[in-house]
Amino acid sequence: MTSTTGAALTLDKVTKRFGGVVAVNDVSFSVAPGSIHGLIGPNGAGKSTLVSLISGYQRADGGTIRLDDVAITGVSPLRIALRGLARTFQAATPLQGMTVRENVEVGLHTTYTAGLARTLLRGPGVRREDRECRAATVELLARYGLTESADRLAADLPFGQLRFLEIARAIAREPRILLLDEPAAGLDQTETSALADLLRHVNGEGTTVLVIDHDVPFMFSLCHDVTVVNFGSVIASGVAAEVARDPVVRDAYLGSGSAGEETE
Amino acid sequence: MSLVIAIGIATGCVYAIIAMGYSLLYRTTGVVNFAQGSFVVIGGLGTYFFRSVVGLPYPLAVVCGILLTGIVALAFWVLIIVPLWRRNSAPYVTLLSTVVMAALLGNLTHLLLSPDPQTLPPWLPGFTLQLAGTQIAGQYVVVVVVALAMIGLTAWYLQASATGRAMRAVAASRPTSRLLGIDPERVGGTAMLIAGLLAGVGGALITPAQLTSPDQGLLYGVFGFVAAVIGGLGSLRGALIGGLIVGVLQTLIVRYISANFEMVIVFALLLVLLTVRPRGLFGVAEFEVAH
């Protein structure tokens, strides 16, 4: 089981510019270990850029990002992933030509990897790993409602199931922190509430969750803490209920009345 | 006629092994490795070196020859391809490095051993096969049996093992693989190692049946590449079929037309196939080749 102690993420004065445009401006906030933390803000507020910076896909121009108190600014996405950070993308990325089951098994790769020689020799250790990997896959598929689609090509899944597959694949290796970029976008009411339950379950298993979305009711019902960004800057951060009452937030964002309806 | 076909099938099995190396590496990493044929020469002449120069017992020399090929392939990956990848070099630069590597390996073998073609004793001395009234040298049978077993074993490994799954994941998407904690450089290295070992087996197998000389690498590389493209670059089943087609065709041409025409006709076939069916016989969907 992944330990939750110390699995926190800290952003300290992080800045990212694209040409003359400041996409992320001096952003600081931290994610408490074991929490579900929400990052909300309208389209273009810099949310997705923040996800890219945290997961190493883009490099910050200034500031420091710490994962579990270790600076990860400038570290490659692979190394960050191996440090225990998992993420999903806004657009699904099923592995082409592989089934739903295989996609989940690939997610378990770092947990169960017998090398070339060991696999060819088929020692008892390899067979045990195979069994464990299969059992873990079956369990994940069942929890994410994918058992019946297990042998379909992942790319052929309907939109909602594909979203769940992405999450199942990402959390298979029990990451310390899971980043989700707009997980509720495009999901219907039933799917959104199933998503919330799954994320609570993931969190209950010990994974810290950072969710980026602009579905306000979904976010405030799910998250313990919320950080609100607008125009690349943090305008409020704290316990969800308090942030929801913050007049600055209401004026700038929640009060606009259009927040919940925006989709991409 | 049946002798010609038998030799063609045996040669074809070696082309199939080379083609499998091309396809395995290409579909995992997007790299087309023209040194693949030179690995066959290393396997053959390496075995010769360990047996005749070092004086190891034959079976041990075969194992050492194959391992040497694997080491050369892995060193090529780590020292040349990975640095090119990290620098985001254009695919043609990587391709060129493999051609240079092929030439380099040929020249090195030439300098270290001798320019002369070498041969080895058959794996099963005294074994011949009577087929339709013709006597076929036993080594050709050994080539076919062992080559098919290696191809089968590789296919099984790629299908059944976690590493095989990781290779397919890296083939599907390098960024997504990294995201899931899979290192494409390491997985690519495994693919290169397997391709090298396969080619080493091919070289150790074919040298007792035919002569192997240091300058044969590019030729093996070209025929193996044609086999891979005919079958569909990236497809393992296609590699087998393509290898057999090229092997039998080449032997028939040499026997009934002229050795001068083997290249012309095999390349003509390749051109026709590329025009009519660009993905090859068993080509799957085009692979995304991104850095």
Side-chain angles (χ1 to χ4, degrees):
Chain A
M1 186 42 52
T2 313
S3 136
T4 58
T5 51
L9 177 75
T10 315
L11 276 75
D12 188 19
K13 297 189 165 63
V14 173
T15 298
K16 177 72 186 173
R17 293 178 207 91
F18 294 108
V21 184
V22 183
V24 171
N25 186 18
D26 223 14
V27 165
S28 302
F29 68 92
S30 64
V31 177
S35 68
I36 302 183
H37 194 112
L39 186 62
I40 64 172
N43 284 330
K47 304 188 300 291
S48 287
T49 307
L50 277 170
V51 181
S52 293
L53 293 173
I54 295 167
S55 52
Y57 281 77
Q58 283 170 354
R59 197 175 176 149
D61 296 313
T64 319
I65 302 169
R66 285 195 190 81
L67 185 62
D68 200 18
D69 284 332
V70 179
I72 53 163
T73 331
V75 174
S76 76
L78 173 69
R79 299 291 147 212
I80 293 176
L82 290 173
R83 281 188 171 281
L85 182 137
R87 71 166 284 192
T88 63
F89 285 91
Q90 229 170 305
T93 54
L95 292 164
Q96 296 292 328
M98 298 180 87
T99 64
V100 171
R101 183 195 311 280
E102 287 170 334
N103 265 267
V104 174
E105 284 171 342
V106 167
L108 285 159
H109 183 79
T110 50
T111 318
Y112 304 101
T113 30
L116 176 61
R118 281 187 60 207
T119 310
L120 289 178
L121 296 173
R122 288 312 275 174
V126 174
R127 279 196 292 272
R128 183 175 44 79
E129 282 192 352
D130 276 1
R131 259 199 318 276
E132 286 175 7
C133 181
R134 270 199 300 275
T137 306
V138 167
E139 202 187 310
L140 278 166
L141 289 172
R143 187 175 319 129
Y144 285 78
L146 296 165
T147 306
E148 293 187 357
S149 324
D151 295 311
R152 286 175 70 180
L153 282 178
D156 295 344
L157 280 187
F159 185 81
Q161 288 200 350
L162 196 51
R163 182 64 53 75
F164 287 168
L165 171 62
E166 296 263 301
I167 298 171
R169 191 180 65 185
I171 61 111
R173 62 194 166 96
E174 298 180 2
R176 289 204 286 217
I177 181 162
L178 173 65
L179 254 72
L180 301 126
D181 194 357
E182 309 222 359
L187 296 188
D188 64 27
Q189 207 69 53
T190 325
E191 288 168 328
T192 304
S193 94
L195 172 72
D197 289 343
L198 284 171
L199 294 182
R200 281 189 199 102
H201 182 268
V202 168
N203 183 243
E205 300 267 289
T207 300
T208 305
V209 178
L210 175 58
V211 199
I212 286 87
D213 216 305
H214 48 204
D215 182 336
V216 173
F218 166 73
M219 292 294 270
F220 277 91
S221 72
L222 175 69
C223 302
H224 310 133
D225 304 312
V226 169
T227 299
V228 186
V229 287
N230 203 3
F231 302 112
S233 301
V234 173
I235 57 170
S237 193
V239 176
E242 288 170 16
V243 172
R245 283 195 299 269
D246 189 321
V248 181
V249 174
R250 300 192 75 89
D251 277 357
Y253 181 41
L254 304 180
S256 71
S258 64
E261 291 131 46
E262 282 179 57
T263 45
E264 290 189 8
Chain B
M1 180 73 184
S2 57
L3 178 66
V4 177
I5 299 281
I7 294 174
I9 289 174
T11 320
C13 281
V14 175
Y15 291 152
I17 274 184
I18 306 171
M20 202 154 179
Y22 271 109
S23 280
L24 177 59
L25 195 69
Y26 174 74
R27 74 174 203 170
T28 309
T29 66
V31 173
V32 176
N33 174 26
F34 274 105
Q36 195 63 35
S38 307
F39 294 163
V40 173
V41 172
I42 304 274
L45 294 182
T47 304
Y48 166 80
F49 171 79
F50 286 113
R51 179 176 177 276
S52 304
V53 181
V54 179
L56 293 182
Y58 194 13
L60 194 58
V62 169
V63 172
C64 288
I66 293 167
L67 289 181
L68 174 69
T69 318
I71 291 168
V72 169
L74 203 55
F76 178 39
W77 177 259
V78 172
L79 299 176
I80 311 289
I81 309 257
V82 166
L84 289 175
W85 259 24
R86 289 196 180 153
R87 220 175 301 151
N88 270 341
S89 301
Y92 76 86
V93 178
T94 315
L95 185 78
L96 192 63
S97 82
T98 73
V99 176
V100 171
M101 186 68 184
L104 186 74
L105 285 176
N107 283 314
L108 267 178
T109 323
H110 178 135
L111 289 172
L112 293 176
L113 278 177
S114 82
D116 305 326
Q118 306 291 351
T119 188
L120 289 164
W123 286 22
L124 302 170
F127 167 58
T128 55
L129 185 73
Q130 294 292 333
L131 197 73
T134 328
Q135 200 174 46
I136 296 164
Q139 186 63 27
Y140 285 116
V141 181
V142 173
V143 170
V144 173
V145 171
V146 176
L148 291 180
M150 292 311 296
I151 289 169
L153 183 68
T154 309
W156 167 81
Y157 179 72
L158 295 179
Q159 198 55 47
S161 73
T163 310
R165 214 157 44 219
M167 282 181 192
R168 291 165 60 210
V170 169
S173 166
R174 262 185 250 171
T176 306
S177 302
R178 286 195 193 99
L179 188 74
L180 299 170
I182 297 172
D183 185 349
E185 290 177 7
R186 178 181 290 213
V187 171
T190 309
M192 184 65 131
L193 176 66
I194 294 174
L197 292 174
L198 276 175
V201 172
L205 274 174
I206 198 69
T207 307
Q210 297 171 0
L211 297 171
T212 298
S213 63
D215 58 10
Q216 238 171 335
L218 272 175
L219 206 63
Y220 273 130
V222 166
F223 280 123
F225 177 69
V226 173
V229 173
I230 287 175
L233 195 56
S235 156
L236 301 182
R237 186 169 47 148
L240 177 60
I241 306 293
L244 291 176
I245 290 176
V246 172
V248 171
L249 190 68
Q250 184 205 12
T251 322
L252 286 175
I253 295 164
V254 172
R255 174 70 182 77
Y256 294 106
I257 305 174
S258 156
N260 298 329
F261 282 94
E262 58 173 4
M263 282 287 210
V264 177
I265 296 178
V266 169
F267 280 132
L269 174 75
L270 176 67
L271 278 183
V272 170
L273 248 159
L274 284 180
T275 316
V276 179
R277 205 179 153 78
R279 281 175 181 180
L281 294 175
F282 296 95
V284 269
E286 275 162 51
F287 288 94
E288 189 188 332
V289 182
H291 282 286

